[in-house]
Amino acid sequence: MILPYIPLYGKDIGLPVVIIGYVIAVYHLVQVIGRIPLGTLSDVIGYRTVIGIGGASLFLGTGTYILSSSFWPLMFLAQILLGIAVSMTYVTIPAYITHFGQEKVPIYTFIMGWAYTLAVPLGGFLKETMGMDFLFSLAFIFSIPALLIVVLLWKTKPSDDKNNVKKLNSLSVISVYKSAFKTLENPKVLRACLYSFLMFMNFTIGFSLFPLRLSGIGLTATLIGLVQFSRMGTGSSVRLLSKKIEGKINREKILTFGTAIVGLSLVLIPMLESLVTLILISIIWGLSGGLYAPIVFDMIADSTEIKDRGRGMGLRGTMGTLGSSLGVICFSNIADILSIPISISLAGVAIVIGVILIEILLR
């Protein structure tokens, strides 16, 4: 509910586009730095503990958003805490789920995707009718049952991983990153990470410059939520079909063509102003990128042993959020210098060129 409207909120309180970009970038930079250690900690000290850290971060982060209404720089701290919480959902939980069978990964990505999808139009409607302060408060209220779920997990689910204190003490920051990046020698992991870089760049454009563009052509927060819903809803729904589609088209081709079409969609978006055509291109955008999550999770699971799976997921997440961070900083600055439409188109061109370079490299 919150993240898609941080750019609009920043605009409402008079922040420059560059500052808005930095606020968003902090959220992604936290994940760049933290996802590999978080994945390693999941393998070493157990999944329940790391999930607990994520639940606490969600609770504290949404509380900090409320305080930021009085002092806007606190948004940086809120973004940091939310970044930690979201890292857990993309690293620890997917790795944990693969322990019970990879066929459950599409179900998880489907549920997570629809949670985001439903939250976006709901957030847009509430922002427009009740204001951003109400949205911050509601998010904080929603974080309370999340904490209760974590407590329930601790009480009812016996730990599958005993805390290995000696192994934890032997770890260093250098060793954690070194061992993680060594997995890039596996071509499947490398492909998953490189495409994560491009797709996360696409995600951050979708939640930063894209809503600003829609606002610039006169769409209300509710209509912006509708356009985002069309993109995210189709992207989330197609995930349930990932196994069937993989049976007919190999994963590499799905990633290649899907990411290229996402890039082309971004190139076209600034040329459109009709609500109907924006919804149609958003549906194509969503369908093209929707299969990304279950496919790369499967690639990592196929290429790593169970004891190292959290580390592999963390590496993929780090490469992805690196794309998000560089993307939002770079293209926010371009938007400030040139214009938001030109910046979005250039982001699409960069993604298409990235696809070409990845395929040349991997072949």
Side-chain angles (χ1 to χ4, degrees):
M1 293 188 301
I2 292 175
L3 288 176
Y5 303 103
I6 291 295
L8 300 182
Y9 176 62
K11 182 180 177 182
D12 290 343
I13 62 176
L15 297 181
V17 174
V18 173
I19 298 297
I20 295 173
Y22 287 142
V23 170
I24 297 168
V26 164
Y27 165 78
H28 296 294
L29 283 171
V30 167
Q31 297 180 62
V32 170
I33 297 168
R35 285 196 177 192
I36 288 177
L38 201 64
T40 301
L41 283 174
S42 300
D43 295 329
V44 175
I45 67 175
Y47 291 91
R48 294 191 311 160
T49 302
V50 178
I51 291 172
I53 293 171
S57 295
L58 179 65
F59 178 79
L60 295 172
T62 50
T64 306
Y65 278 119
I66 296 174
L67 298 176
S68 72
S69 298
S70 301
F71 184 59
W72 74 261
L74 281 175
M75 279 198 292
F76 286 105
L77 177 58
Q79 293 283 81
I80 290 171
L81 291 167
L82 198 66
I84 294 171
V86 172
S87 292
M88 178 266 298
T89 68
Y90 278 103
V91 176
T92 308
I93 294 179
Y96 187 49
I97 287 174
T98 61
H99 290 208
F100 304 97
Q102 287 180 223
E103 71 279 359
K104 293 178 174 60
V105 172
I107 298 172
Y108 171 68
T109 58
F110 170 81
I111 293 171
M112 184 174 65
W114 266 103
Y116 276 104
T117 301
L118 294 173
V120 169
L122 175 61
F125 173 76
L126 292 175
K127 179 189 180 301
E128 188 171 338
T129 57
M130 306 295 291
M132 201 69 179
D133 289 344
F134 177 83
L135 204 56
F136 289 151
S137 299
L138 186 61
F140 177 73
I141 292 171
F142 283 167
S143 72
I144 296 173
L147 267 185
L148 295 177
I149 291 171
V150 170
V151 172
L152 185 65
L153 175 66
W154 272 78
K155 286 187 174 181
T156 63
K157 179 67 181 175
S159 178
D160 294 318
D161 308 275
K162 294 182 179 179
N163 292 352
N164 191 332
V165 178
K166 290 183 179 179
K167 188 175 180 181
L168 182 62
N169 290 338
S170 68
L171 292 176
S172 67
V173 174
I174 294 175
S175 66
V176 166
Y177 280 94
K178 185 176 180 181
S179 59
F181 281 103
K182 188 174 176 60
T183 60
L184 287 175
E185 295 174 1
N186 186 306
K188 286 186 178 181
V189 175
L190 179 60
R191 178 180 288 273
C193 289
L194 291 175
Y195 273 100
S196 292
F197 182 92
L198 295 181
M199 287 303 295
F200 271 66
M201 183 185 294
N202 149 65
F203 295 150
T204 196
I205 296 299
F207 286 128
S208 58
L209 296 179
F210 184 50
L212 289 176
R213 164 61 181 166
L214 297 179
S215 175
I217 60 174
L219 297 189
T220 63
T222 301
L223 291 178
I224 291 172
L226 176 63
V227 175
Q228 295 279 45
F229 178 86
S230 65
R231 173 176 66 91
M232 299 174 66
T234 51
S236 300
S237 299
V238 76
R239 291 171 180 173
L240 281 181
L241 303 175
S242 63
K243 294 297 181 184
K244 292 183 179 180
I245 296 174
E246 286 179 42
K248 298 179 180 180
I249 308 173
N250 66 47
R251 294 171 181 170
E252 289 77 10
K253 288 183 179 179
I254 294 173
L255 275 181
T256 301
F257 290 108
T259 307
I261 293 172
V262 164
L264 291 173
S265 299
L266 287 174
V267 172
L268 292 174
I269 280 170
M271 306 176 190
L272 308 174
E273 294 191 2
S274 163
L275 179 61
V276 174
T277 54
L278 282 168
I279 289 175
L280 287 175
I281 197 70
S282 294
I283 290 173
I284 295 171
W285 182 2
L287 288 173
S288 303
L291 292 175
Y292 153 79
I295 286 176
V296 294
F297 286 155
D298 280 346
M299 279 186 169
I300 297 295
D302 286 344
S303 308
T304 56
E305 297 180 16
I306 288 180
K307 65 182 180 65
D308 295 323
R309 195 153 295 164
R311 181 183 301 160
M313 293 291 184
L315 176 62
R316 179 210 66 83
T318 292
M319 291 294 289
T321 48
L322 181 63
S324 295
S325 303
L326 294 178
V328 73
I329 291 173
C330 175
F331 293 108
S332 292
N333 278 280
I334 292 175
D336 197 49
I337 297 170
L338 300 176
S339 69
I340 290 174
I342 291 175
S343 183
I344 293 174
S345 289
L346 289 176
V349 171
I351 289 173
V352 173
I353 293 174
V355 170
I356 296 171
L357 293 177
I358 289 172
E359 292 306 312
I360 292 174
L361 172 67
L362 294 179
R363 292 180 189 279

